[in-house]
């Protein structure tokens, strides 16, 4: 064992004292350093999606959609891209039971050759409000009562009674899918409407869907009480144990697309996140498969410091006028800069795996090595480059 500066620690069992009974000396550098770090080792908890688990793997294209998008990682069947995925609950705290009724997060970070693409979604295809200005209010209604710190359904129902557009999401929330059996048996939906851009510049609205190959399974309220009473981290354990045993979870990726020139022919607004796109009118198109075949190496560095942002897109995928998406582009990056600092994208789990350059300087925890003038962008940051197909 060494100090953080690399000096050998000769005694990690006893404080340095004046005589055998003390008092303790302030010059015990290792003691001070040890406690100074210990009292600061917690970072701000996510306001939403605080409870989560991550795993790593790859995404493989299985169907050719190069006529729909020029995105490099979707260029041809057989192309594989490294990913890290975080599953989560939305409302409850970092150590809360994973059996509580709650929407589940399904966030995928693609480490592509042209930068990172974050596909941030839920296990419901819709959301409670169509305008993000009401998002903090919805979350506050679902959070525990600020007086008693107890979640009360009357507060949720009372608030949402003033948001009639929330009814479709309530049908999912109070359905069996409100309590998934575990993360492996859970669907994922991108929820937001993005744009696919092809080589000619033609655009299509797109929604993303993840379908688990092992099927969808859920818990009843009674089963959730039994499972949660045995292990409040049952879904995290199931994900970790399954991957460790070689039973790799897998999902199929499907998309739905709409030509913006034809959106006026629909009887709903395709950019309204309180509406889902009917699959009988807008069929699912297969794209690829997601396989999680490696557990994370450290929970804190690859789960707690893992940061997603719907604003992270790559050439061939772009935004729409979806009001929720527009606000999330700002809000997600803002919350990560609060939690992790302005240079959170330098952390290994968040950094691109391709060479990357920028003109940002300094700030907390800026550990990028710069040894040449940046104006000509003739330097490349030190990153691990993963060979891709």
């Amino acid at each position: 064992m060494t100090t953080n500066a690399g000096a050998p620690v000769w005694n990690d069992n006893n404080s340095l004292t004046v005589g055998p009974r003390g008092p303790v000396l302030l010059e015990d550098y290792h003691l001070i350093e040890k406690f100074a770090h210990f009292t600061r080792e917690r970072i701000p908890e996510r306001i939403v999606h605080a409870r989560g688990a991550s795993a790593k793997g790859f995404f493989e294209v299985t169907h050719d959609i190069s006529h729909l998008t020029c995105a490099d990682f979707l260029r041809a069947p057989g192309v594989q891209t490294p990913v890290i995925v975080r599953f989560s609950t939305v409302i409850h705290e970092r150590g809360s039971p994973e059996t509580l009724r709650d929407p589940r997060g399904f966030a995928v970070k693609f480490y592509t050759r042209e930068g990172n693409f974050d596909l941030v979604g839920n296990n419901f295809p819709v959301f409670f409000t169509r305008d993000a200005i009401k998002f903090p209010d919805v979350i506050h209604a679902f959070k525990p009562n600020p007086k008693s710190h107890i979640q009360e359904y009357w507060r949720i129902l009372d608030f949402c009674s003033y948001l009639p557009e929330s009814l479709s999401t309530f049908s999912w929330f109070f359905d069996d899918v409100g309590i998934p059996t575990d993360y492996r048996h859970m669907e994922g939906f991108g929820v937001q409407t993005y744009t696919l851009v092809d080589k000619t510049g033609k655009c299509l609205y797109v929604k993303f869907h993840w379908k688990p190959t092992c099927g969808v399974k859920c818990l009843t309220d009674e089963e959730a009480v039994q499972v949660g009473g045995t292990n409040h981290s049952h879904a995290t354990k199931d994900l970790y144990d399954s991957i460790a045993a070689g039973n790799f979870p897998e999902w199929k990726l499907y998309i739905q697309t709409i030509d913006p020139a034809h959106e006026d022919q629909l009887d709903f607004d395709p950019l309204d996140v309180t509406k889902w796109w009917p699959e009988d009118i807008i069929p699912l198109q297969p794209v690829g498969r997601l396989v999680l075949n490696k557990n994370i190496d450290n929970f804190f560095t690859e789960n707690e410091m893992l940061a997603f942002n719907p604003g992270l897109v790559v050439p061939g995928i772009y935004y729409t006028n979806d009001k929720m998406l527009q606000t999330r582009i700002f809000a997600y990056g803002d919350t990560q800069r609060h939690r992790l600092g302005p240079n959170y994208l330098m952390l290994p789990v968040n950094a691109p795996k391709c060479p990357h350059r920028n003109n940002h300087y300094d700030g907390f925890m800026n550990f990028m090595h710069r040894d040449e003038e940046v104006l000509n962008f003739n330097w490349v940051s030190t990153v691990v480059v993963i060979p891709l197909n």
Side-chain angles (χ1 to χ4, degrees):
M1 180 177 288
T2 69
T3 66
N4 290 347
V9 172
W10 65 275
N11 189 334
D12 190 47
N13 296 317
N14 305 101
S15 302
L16 184 62
T17 61
V18 178
R21 298 192 64 190
V24 174
L25 293 179
L26 193 60
E27 72 178 65
D28 189 338
Y29 175 84
H30 179 56
L31 170 69
I32 300 303
E33 180 179 77
K34 191 173 183 178
F35 268 86
H37 184 278
F38 176 72
T39 57
R40 294 167 173 82
E41 70 181 23
R42 288 290 176 265
I43 62 175
E45 180 179 289
R46 290 172 170 90
I47 296 176
V48 289
H49 299 278
R51 171 58 132 140
S54 305
K56 295 181 281 190
F58 65 89
F59 173 77
E60 181 181 17
V61 179
T62 57
H63 292 73
D64 186 8
I65 62 166
S66 59
H67 59 292
L68 302 178
T69 176
C70 62
D72 179 75
F73 77 103
L74 299 173
R75 64 188 179 274
V79 173
Q80 290 189 1
T81 301
V83 301
I84 186 167
V85 179
R86 186 174 189 268
F87 305 101
S88 58
T89 60
V90 172
I91 295 300
H92 302 284
E93 298 93 341
R94 187 155 46 193
S96 58
E98 293 178 306
T99 48
L100 297 177
R101 182 172 295 278
D102 202 7
R104 263 60 175 178
F106 194 123
V108 183
K109 186 182 293 291
F110 298 81
Y111 298 106
T112 86
R113 301 194 305 183
E114 295 185 322
N116 291 353
F117 170 46
D118 285 1
L119 182 54
V120 188
N122 292 329
N123 68 324
F124 301 164
V126 286
F127 193 65
F128 292 94
T129 175
R130 62 172 62 97
D131 193 318
I133 197 170
K134 299 304 295 177
F135 178 82
D137 306 320
V138 170
I139 297 303
H140 288 159
F142 275 77
K143 287 285 188 179
N145 188 316
K147 179 178 180 180
S148 63
H149 200 67
I150 298 172
Q151 187 185 44
E152 298 165 333
Y153 276 128
W154 74 263
R155 299 178 68 248
I156 300 172
L157 297 171
D158 178 68
F159 176 81
C160 289
S161 68
Y162 296 95
L163 294 176
E165 69 269 25
S166 67
L167 185 58
S168 61
T169 309
F170 261 93
S171 68
W172 289 81
F173 180 73
F174 286 109
D175 189 78
D176 288 347
V177 295
I179 312 178
T181 296
D182 50 55
Y183 296 132
R184 291 185 299 122
H185 295 86
M186 188 177 79
E187 286 184 290
F189 301 91
V191 184
Q192 312 292 166
T193 302
Y194 284 88
T195 300
L196 293 182
V197 185
D198 70 11
K199 295 177 181 179
T200 68
K202 178 178 173 56
C203 297
L204 292 172
Y205 291 154
V206 63
K207 288 213 176 198
F208 299 93
H209 303 260
W210 298 105
K211 303 290 185 182
T213 58
C214 58
V216 175
K217 294 183 180 180
C218 309
L219 299 174
T220 65
D221 288 316
E222 294 74 21
E223 291 170 335
V225 170
Q226 295 176 350
V227 173
T230 303
N231 182 359
H232 73 287
S233 299
H234 81 285
T236 297
K237 185 178 188 306
D238 174 83
L239 180 66
Y240 189 94
D241 289 349
S242 296
I243 295 174
N247 181 22
F248 302 140
E250 182 175 335
W251 287 260
K252 302 293 186 182
L253 176 64
Y254 296 86
I255 60 173
Q256 291 175 290
T257 60
I258 293 176
D259 188 334
H262 301 154
E263 64 176 307
D264 291 340
Q265 300 174 11
L266 302 171
D267 61 359
F268 64 93
D269 182 356
L271 304 186
D272 183 347
V273 295
T274 67
K275 307 290 194 302
W276 62 77
W277 295 3
E279 295 177 11
D280 57 338
I281 300 175
I282 309 161
L284 297 176
Q285 305 174 55
V287 177
R289 67 188 187 114
L290 169 69
V291 179
L292 300 181
N293 59 4
K294 188 178 188 303
N295 280 311
I296 57 177
D297 299 311
N298 180 273
F299 190 83
F300 181 78
T301 58
E302 295 184 299
N303 183 77
E304 290 305 299
M305 294 205 299
L306 175 58
F308 292 91
N309 183 352
L312 298 186
V313 295
V314 292
I317 300 175
Y318 201 65
Y319 319 122
T320 65
N321 291 333
D322 178 335
K323 292 180 181 179
M324 284 292 294
L325 175 60
Q326 289 287 320
T327 308
R328 292 174 76 205
I329 292 170
F330 160 76
Y332 275 62
D334 189 52
T335 192
Q336 301 303 348
R337 293 181 188 99
H338 163 65
R339 294 183 62 244
L340 304 171
N343 293 302
Y344 75 94
L345 288 175
M346 291 185 188
L347 295 170
V349 71
N350 298 323
K353 306 305 181 188
C354 61
H356 56 285
R357 305 166 177 84
N358 63 48
N359 198 26
H360 301 318
Y361 274 81
D362 306 337
F364 289 111
M365 299 304 294
N366 188 329
F367 52 85
M368 185 175 288
H369 179 69
R370 301 175 185 272
D371 58 4
E372 295 185 30
E373 175 56 53
V374 72
L375 294 180
N376 294 323
F377 292 104
N378 57 358
W379 58 269
V380 177
S381 62
T382 304
V383 295
V384 176
V385 179
I386 297 178
L388 305 178
N389 291 348

